Amino acid sequence: AKPVSLNAVCQIFMQNKGKQSILEKIKRPVDPKLFIKEIDGLRFLAILTVFMLHLNNYVSRSVGRNFNAGISDFFSWDWFINRFGFGVEIFFAISGFVISLPFLRHYMYHEKKTELKVYYRRRFSRIGWPFLLSCVIFYTLYVVANRLSLAGESPHLFSAVAYVHTLIYGAWAPFNPVTWSLEAEVQFYLIAPFLIGFIFSNHSLMLVKLLGLAAAAIVVRALFLDDIARLHLDRTVFVFLPLFLSGFLLAFIYLRHNDFLLRKSYVWDAVAAAVFFGMLWTTYAPNRTAFTVCCFVFLVAVFKSRLLNRMLTHKAVYVLGGMSYSFYLLHYPMFYLFGKVFGQHLMWSESYVANYFTHALVFFPLTILVASVFYWVVERPCIARKRNVRLRAANGFAGKLNVN
């Protein structure tokens, strides 16, 4: 056999090195200078907890089990799994961080101010088309599967795509209940520039105004919870405002005290574990102070920890986290569609938990696969096209985009 020269080996290596991996090709198009791995890693963790919660809802319903029955039984399966809904609230804190960054760069370092017209156009073009398409698809399937009137149920569709279904009906959209949180996000997008301007235009009073707004929101929620629910405001930005504001505070620390976040320690892994349990413990507390503090400390710990940070900044994790919006839009209806396909074939054990994880092993990969296709075909082109991105073949990154 003819020996292979060292030069030939190097040429082969360089050729393979130049090729993009699958992860590189599907990753969210962002400017590498603005990309923060920890944020997309957090998105993955948040959507994973939401997956776990909603799969439990599906499996419980499919066997006629009340998934809330053991919610107060400390350390039971129901106690844990029903509290994993806090992934949605982690998303709210992430949004506060991401949305505030470009505005804070202007207020703190006098960088170019983000025009409101550009901001709103980017926000709604980023989320609007994938959301609209998913609503039309799942609404049609919902109407057909339940033999309902396409026109008769249309108010649910129109109010959902206008991001006001919860405000009007005081209930989730029947064809995709999870979209209530997107309505809260959109409400936040509308008021965020004005909130940020109010809080950060005067640096000396910044902390006072931020904590004051958070405290006011917490107190109002605790005192008037029943009235808030009666007015259909219990799932709006005003109830979750402290979490969005915690993202503001993290963004301030990230820009002003980045050296603090870069100093990592295993101690912060222990802190992360403690406050993660704290979020579980305080999820259903009427007073949201403890939960909000735990959530904020957990976000800080993601940056400062060693083991947790290493896990969330793994390439596969943050790339999948970058696709979390598509996962979010599709996962809940997909669980029920897969349930129609597999029926009771995955119910092999007398143990509910064993059946649950069997469903997870089947449903999660299938959902990720379908949602990844949706992301590639629908969501990713929206990001690139709406922001006039020119994808760079050399390194797989796209042009100038803010982290989102």
Side-chain angles (χ1 to χ4, degrees), residues 64-133:
R65 178 178 178 271
N66 182 358
F67 54 81
N68 285 319
I71 200 170
S72 300
D73 298 337
F74 184 59
F75 269 27
S76 68
W77 171 259
D78 289 324
W79 188 92
F80 273 107
I81 201 68
N82 281 289
R83 284 165 167 76
F84 275 11
F86 67 57
V88 172
E89 293 164 297
I90 292 177
F91 273 123
F92 290 158
I94 292 172
S95 290
F97 175 88
V98 168
I99 295 300
S100 63
L101 271 180
F103 291 98
L104 289 187
R105 289 191 179 100
H106 166 69
Y107 286 115
M108 294 169 59
Y109 301 112
H110 307 291
E111 292 188 12
K112 183 179 178 181
K113 186 176 182 179
T114 302
E115 295 182 17
L116 287 181
K117 180 175 67 174
V118 174
Y119 162 77
Y120 287 125
R121 186 175 67 245
R122 286 182 175 179
R123 282 293 96 201
F124 288 99
S125 64
R126 168 73 175 85
I127 67 172
W129 292 114
F131 177 60
L132 177 61
L133 181 59

Side-chain angles (χ1 to χ4, degrees), residues 104-364:
L104 289 187
R105 289 191 179 100
H106 166 69
Y107 286 115
M108 294 169 59
Y109 301 112
H110 307 291
E111 292 188 12
K112 183 179 178 181
K113 186 176 182 179
T114 302
E115 295 182 17
L116 287 181
K117 180 175 67 174
V118 174
Y119 162 77
Y120 287 125
R121 186 175 67 245
R122 286 182 175 179
R123 282 293 96 201
F124 288 99
S125 64
R126 168 73 175 85
I127 67 172
W129 292 114
F131 177 60
L132 177 61
L133 181 59
S134 70
C135 281
V136 171
I137 291 172
F138 291 130
Y139 172 76
T140 303
L141 291 174
Y142 164 76
V143 169
V144 172
N146 291 280
R147 298 181 179 179
L148 301 171
S149 166
L150 196 65
E153 296 294 314
S154 59
H156 288 291
L157 174 62
F158 293 135
S159 59
V161 299
Y163 309 103
V164 293
H165 189 281
T166 304
L167 285 172
I168 293 174
Y169 291 96
W172 300 313
F175 54 89
N176 196 356
V178 303
T179 57
W180 71 267
S181 59
L182 185 59
E183 295 180 19
E185 289 269 6
V186 168
Q187 294 158 12
F188 169 69
Y189 296 159
L190 291 173
I191 66 173
F194 308 101
L195 274 177
I196 297 166
F198 169 72
I199 294 170
F200 293 99
S201 58
N202 186 332
H203 290 183
S204 61
L205 297 175
M206 176 206 72
L207 197 59
V208 173
K209 288 187 283 189
L210 189 147
L211 295 179
L213 279 175
I218 289 171
V219 169
V220 169
R221 182 186 186 276
L223 293 178
F224 303 104
L225 187 58
D226 292 337
D227 295 319
I228 289 171
R230 191 161 45 250
L231 294 171
H232 300 171
L233 298 175
D234 52 325
R235 296 186 184 96
T236 64
V237 63
F238 303 106
V239 169
F240 298 103
L241 185 61
L243 292 159
F244 290 109
L245 294 177
S246 70
F248 286 6
L249 183 57
L250 180 65
F252 175 81
I253 295 172
Y254 179 82
L255 292 176
R256 181 60 62 88
H257 304 289
N258 192 255
D259 56 332
F260 166 74
L261 294 180
L262 291 175
R263 292 196 298 271
K264 304 185 189 307
S265 167
Y266 289 112
V267 172
W268 279 93
D269 287 288
V271 171
V275 294
F276 187 89
F277 181 78
M279 287 190 290
L280 290 173
W281 184 267
T282 58
T283 291
Y284 292 117
N287 187 322
R288 302 295 284 171
T289 304
F291 179 88
T292 304
V293 171
C294 287
C295 184
F296 172 73
V297 175
F298 184 76
L299 296 182
V300 173
V302 165
F303 284 89
K304 291 189 62 63
S305 59
R306 289 190 178 273
L307 297 177
L308 178 63
N309 182 274
R310 195 176 305 152
M311 179 184 73
L312 294 183
T313 56
H314 187 279
K315 190 166 191 174
V317 172
Y318 70 70
V319 168
L320 289 174
M323 298 188 286
S324 61
Y325 182 53
S326 290
F327 296 168
Y328 157 81
L329 289 177
L330 270 60
H331 78 278
Y332 194 91
M334 293 308 301
F335 289 170
Y336 284 84
L337 288 173
F338 293 143
K340 295 287 185 182
V341 173
F342 290 97
Q344 296 295 311
H345 295 295
L346 300 178
M347 298 291 186
W348 60 274
S349 173
E350 293 183 1
S351 167
Y352 171 81
V353 176
N355 289 330
Y356 171 89
F357 280 106
T358 302
H359 279 78
L361 288 172
V362 176
F363 283 21
F364 284 8

